[in-house]
Every structure is written in structure tokens, then in C-alpha cells.
Amino acid sequence: MKQFGGPAAFIDRNDINTDEIIPAKYLTEITKKALAPHLLEDLRLEGQDFDPHSPNMQEARVLITRSNFGCGSSREHAVWALEVNDINVVIGESFARIFRQNMFNCGILAVELSKDDLDRLFALKGKVMVEVDLAGEKLIATSSDARVECSFSLNPFDKKLIGAGGWLAFADANY
């Protein structure tokens, strides 16, 4: 079973759309790898410094954000840009429906948490590591001075899909 978790990066904003995840000018690329350096390059966060090429973003395997992540057009390229940058978990209050399903299809875990749980995660200081227990439907985020544990739920099919590593791996194993 695929492992989920790792170093986290925080993006403190609602409504991050697919054009901000991967700009439309890169949709003509013919490989997923060509999308890698352009992840979040057009994302602007009011009153916050954000550098998509910072060491923190380069080592991140988990993104923690707010609500309605992946809104906008339903292009799969946005999920591919996450995938080729080794992002394996995105945590938020909610996700655009098609975007969320594309994440699961590509083997990326979308974890929906309450606003209160997200606020507890955003309160963590310094480097944050996230461990995900898929079977137990919980995650643990730790920093040098605190630990936050949160529960989440997945429907049984999504759990099987993500546990297999995405739709293709699931189909290969089951059909």
C-alpha cells in the first residue's frame, strides 16, 4: 500500500483554482514532467510571501490549505502538476468535486477536515511533518513544539482507490 505524508507546506487561502495550480499556458505540454517547475507559479497570497520554488515547497509532500481547493476548470493537468512534484496529500476544508476525484484517480489523497482542525494545523510553528494512517482514517501533524491529531473519513471505494495508488493501479489489480 502506498504511504502518505511527509513534510508539509501551508497555503493559507480559500478558492485556489486550477489556473493557479498550473497556468493554462502549460496545457500544451506533452509530458507530466514538463509541468513540474510550474506548480503554483501564478499563485498570489495577499499579504503573505509565497515562493513556489522555496526549499520548503520543493521538499513538501503534503499541502495544507483552506476551502474549495482546485476550483475552476476541471483540467487534470493541475493534479498532474501535484503528482510530478511528489505531493501525495492535500489537506483542506473542501475540494472542487471533479478536482478531488482526479486526485484520487492519480493516487493523491484529498483529506477534508473541519475549519477548527485546519486552524489547529495552521497554528503549528516551524517545520511540520504529517503522517497519515489511511486504514485508521487519521493524520498526525508534528512540529518541534506541538502535535495535532485529526480524524477524517473516506468512502470505501475512495479508500480502496487511493490505497491501490490510483485508478490505473486499482483497475490492474481488480479487472
Side-chain angles (χ1 to χ4, degrees), residues 12 17 39 42 47 62 65 72 98 100 107 122 132 140 150 155 158:
D12 196 0
N17 68 59
L39 177 68
D42 282 354
V62 177
T65 188
I98 293 172
R100 180 185 179 279
F122 273 92
V132 176
I140 299 167
C150 304
N155 71 52
D158 284 344

Side-chain angles (χ1 to χ4, degrees), residues 111-130:
V111 174
E112 293 179 327
L113 296 177
S114 69
K115 183 180 181 320
D116 289 342
D117 281 343
L118 284 169
D119 288 344
R120 292 188 313 137
L121 293 174
F122 273 92
L124 293 170
K125 302 294 181 220
K127 186 173 181 167
V128 175
M129 294 293 291
V130 174

Side-chain angles (χ1 to χ4, degrees), residues 73-93:
S73 65
S74 60
R75 69 175 64 114
E76 197 169 19
H77 292 74
V79 175
W80 294 344
L82 296 171
E83 181 183 20
V84 299
N85 279 281
D86 298 322
I87 302 297
N88 62 64
V89 180
V90 179
I91 301 167
E93 188 175 353

Side-chain angles (χ1 to χ4, degrees), residues 3-4 12 15 18 23 27 32 36-37 47 51 64 75 77 81 90 98 105 129 143-145 159 165-167 172-173:
Q3 296 295 309
F4 296 95
D12 196 0
D15 305 314
T18 54
L27 300 184
K32 290 180 183 180
D51 178 3
I64 301 173
R75 69 175 64 114
H77 292 74
V90 179
I98 293 172
N105 289 347
M129 294 293 291
S143 67
S144 60
D145 64 340
K159 191 182 252 188
W167 176 248
D172 283 347

Side-chain angles (χ1 to χ4, degrees), residues 136-175:
E137 295 183 347
K138 69 178 181 178
L139 64 86
I140 299 167
T142 55
S143 67
S144 60
D145 64 340
R147 171 186 160 107
V148 174
E149 189 170 324
C150 304
S151 295
F152 62 91
S153 63
L154 295 175
N155 71 52
F157 179 74
D158 284 344
K159 191 182 252 188
K160 287 179 185 175
L161 189 65
I162 200 73
W167 176 248
L168 292 177
F170 178 82
D172 283 347
N174 292 283
Y175 299 106

